[in-house]
């Protein structure tokens, strides 16, 4: 076995590519590559599931008995070794297992390493990746960076399409999170024959680069045992294959190289520099998508407008009005919604939409009339009550806002948005404990309510001059960040005498606007005793207000 440094490895691959452009490489990626993208390792997931299993006491006790666990700290050296046992105990059905895999992977964003790989895969010698991961990080990086799309093999029925050509190829050995992933001990023991044979054909005379892979899959060991003509193996990890399933296969390899480095982003960053790979032009991609979307909207409007008035149906008017609304053409939306009422004069949903259009046009009196009309035709229209509560809040009538929110909750006790609006009204009345309760209730019912988090953070900032770190971590894990969140963090840093960079925030969100009611923050600053801090906050908040709709 040969051992070289990371720098030597990158130099060697680069020079080989330059001297022998027909050399073929395969990147074999394991779970370690996705850690910096927010996906936990097997050992971390197993520990998390073990904690969840504690809530099912009888099942938890039986699991410990079967696995001879009396003291978790003494009896479990590596939770990763219990991955399948815990997973299959906590999620006993295939559907439950698939949903959990989807949950783990759904909010992941490609890290630097995946973006570099997406650029490298545009070069034919490096356009092939094989992975044991369920996530979509490789194909996401290819799409987000505007690179040539890959053919993605997610199932054995697609094995006949596996071949090396100028199209990037991603083969997901254990399947995809959304298409029957092979995620339990039975599924991962064997790779379907058609898929195994097709993959083995790719390894002929190929140099294989293993990154982030532990080497404990029986099915992968069987696959590699059938690969008799691998040109060379590079193994990048914290240690060479030892005391693992793949050890026997590794020992048989005549040309193998170990590189002591497991940081996927670091590895790929060095490759990026050596190969002089360009940074993805995200602005160009976003602009292209926006242009395509705007063109589609324009064509939809033109098609609907071209229909003669006497031939337009109720649905035509509603779709056209909805399109105007989405384009922020609220006057046209109002006019068109009203035309739809000629077909259905008692339609509660249409009056609610008219109210929303007046609301966005800041014609609040007319919005209130329309919402009340909506409620008149459907007394159980929870959305109209909630919208009415929002407008009353804007108008400064917190009692009416609370009354309308309570009515929406009376109709639907699990209406998360209504609790959020109710929380805002109580916060404005400085009834902070009740506001906290309602924000927490909203998030319990719907953890994806981003604005409930930011409303909660604003309240914490006003009362405690700091944001709760645990809830902040929950927010970051779920959403990564947001314009509003970063604004509140800047204010928090000012209050706590930390350095801030407002202009970076402005540059980051130069194309964005956000909807934020600054009244609570204004009152908070107004009552601040520290004159210097007060002036600084006022200055910064004015900058933030310039981005508010």
């Amino acid at each position: 076995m040969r051992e070289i440094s990371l720098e030597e490895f990158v130099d060697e691959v680069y020079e080989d590519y330059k001297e022998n452009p027909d050399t073929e490489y395969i990147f074999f990626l394991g779970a370690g590559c996705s850690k910096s993208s927010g996906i936990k390792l097997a050992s971390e997931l197993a520990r998390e599931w073990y904690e969840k299993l504690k809530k099912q006491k009888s099942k938890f006790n039986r699991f410990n008995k079967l696995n001879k666990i009396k003291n978790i700290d003494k009896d479990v050296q590596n939770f990763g070794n219990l991955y399948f046992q815990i997973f299959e105990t906590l999620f006993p059905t295939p559907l439950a297992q698939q949903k959990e895999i989807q949950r783990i992977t759904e909010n992941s964003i490609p890290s630097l390493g995946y973006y570099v790989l997406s650029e490298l895969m545009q070069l034919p010698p490096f356009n092939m990746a094989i992975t044991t991961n369920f996530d979509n990080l490789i194909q996401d990086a290819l799409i987000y960076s505007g690179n040539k799309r890959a053919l993605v093999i997610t199932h054995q029925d697609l094995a006949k399409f596996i071949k090396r050509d100028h199209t990037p190829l991603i083969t997901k050995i254990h399947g995809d999170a959304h298409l029957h992933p092979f995620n339990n001990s039975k599924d991962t023991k064997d790779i379907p024959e058609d898929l195994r044979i097709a993959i083995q054909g790719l390894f002929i005379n190929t140099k294989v680069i293993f990154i982030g892979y532990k080497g404990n899959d029986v099915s992968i060991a069987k696959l590699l045992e059938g690969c008799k003509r691998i040109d060379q193996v590079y193994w990048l990890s914290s240690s060479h294959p030892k005391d693992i399933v793949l050890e026997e296969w590794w020992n048989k390899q005549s040309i193998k190289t170990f590189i002591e480095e497991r940081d996927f982003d670091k590895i790929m960053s060095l490759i990026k520099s050596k190969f002089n790979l360009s940074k993805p032009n995200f602005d160009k991609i976003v602009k292209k998508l926006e242009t395509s979307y705007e063109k589609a909207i324009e064509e939809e409007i033109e098609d609907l407008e071209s229909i003669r008035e006497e031939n337009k149906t109720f649905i035509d008017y509603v779709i056209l009005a909805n399109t105007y609304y989405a384009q922020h053409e609220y006057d046209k939306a109002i006019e068109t919604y009203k035309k739809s009422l000629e077909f259905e004069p008692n339609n509660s949903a249409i009056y609610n939409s008219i109210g929303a259009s007046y609301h966005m046009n800041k014609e609040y009196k007319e919005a209130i009339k329309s919402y009340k009309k909506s409620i008149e035709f459907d007394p159980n229209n929870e959305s109209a009550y909630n919208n009415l509560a929002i407008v009353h809040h804007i108008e400064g009538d917190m009692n009416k806002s609370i009354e309308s929110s309570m009515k929406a909750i009376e109709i639907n006790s699990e209406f998360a948005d209504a609790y959020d609006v109710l929380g805002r009204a109580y916060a404005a009345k400085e009834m902070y404990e009740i506001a906290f309760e309602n924000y927490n209730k909203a998030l319990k019912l719907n953890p994806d309510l981003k604005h409930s988090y930011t409303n909660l953070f604003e309240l914490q900032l006003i009362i405690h001059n700091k944001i709760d770190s645990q809830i902040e971590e929950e927010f970051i894990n779920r959403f990564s960040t947001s314009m509003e969140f970063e604004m509140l963090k800047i204010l928090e840093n000012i209050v706590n005498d930390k350095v801030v960079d407002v202009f970076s925030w402005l540059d980051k969100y130069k194309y964005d606007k956000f909807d934020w009611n600054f009244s609570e923050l204004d009152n908070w600053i107004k009552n601040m005793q520290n004159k210097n801090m007060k002036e600084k906050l006022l200055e910064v908040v004015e900058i933030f207000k310039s981005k508010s709709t």
Side-chain angles (χ1 to χ4, degrees), residues 7-150:
E7 292 79 4
E8 289 174 302
F9 160 71
V10 173
D11 286 344
E12 181 171 299
V13 172
Y14 179 75
E15 291 304 323
D16 181 46
Y17 163 66
K18 287 296 184 183
E19 295 293 327
N20 306 293
D22 58 341
T23 301
E24 296 177 345
Y25 286 82
I26 290 177
F27 281 91
F28 194 109
L29 307 184
C33 295
S34 298
K35 182 173 173 58
S36 59
S37 296
I39 297 179
K40 295 177 180 177
L41 297 175
S43 57
E44 295 170 325
L45 288 168
R47 179 175 281 279
E48 180 184 299
W49 293 331
Y50 187 77
E51 292 301 316
K52 284 185 179 180
L53 192 61
K54 287 180 180 178
K55 296 177 182 177
Q56 303 179 46
K57 192 172 181 181
S58 58
K59 189 181 283 188
F60 178 72
N61 291 336
R62 183 162 61 87
F63 177 85
N64 284 339
K65 186 176 180 181
L66 285 171
N67 291 281
K68 299 177 181 179
I69 301 172
K70 292 182 180 179
N71 184 310
I72 192 66
D73 295 321
K74 291 181 179 178
D75 298 336
V76 181
Q77 302 300 317
N78 182 358
F79 263 94
N81 296 334
L82 290 172
Y83 176 90
F84 286 122
Q85 296 94 312
I86 299 174
F87 181 67
E88 291 165 23
T89 302
L90 192 60
F91 309 102
T93 68
L95 182 59
Q97 291 169 5
Q98 180 167 351
K99 284 184 175 180
E100 177 62 7
I101 294 299
Q102 289 175 0
R103 182 194 70 80
I104 293 164
T105 60
E106 64 184 353
N107 291 317
S108 56
I109 300 292
S111 66
L112 171 64
Y114 282 109
Y115 285 114
V116 176
L117 180 60
S118 77
E119 295 294 328
L120 191 63
M121 289 182 76
Q122 304 309 298
L123 304 175
F126 303 98
N127 70 353
M128 191 163 295
I130 294 176
T131 179
T132 56
N133 301 338
F134 304 118
D135 59 61
N136 298 314
L137 291 166
I138 308 175
Q139 55 263 54
D140 283 351
L142 285 164
I143 293 168
Y144 297 160
S145 55
N147 282 316
K148 186 187 291 185
R149 304 290 179 88

Side-chain angles (χ1 to χ4, degrees), residues 84 88 182-191:
F84 286 122
E88 291 165 23
F182 303 144
N183 51 24
N184 57 47
S185 55
K186 181 182 177 183
D187 286 343
T188 54
K189 277 186 178 177
D190 287 293
I191 297 170

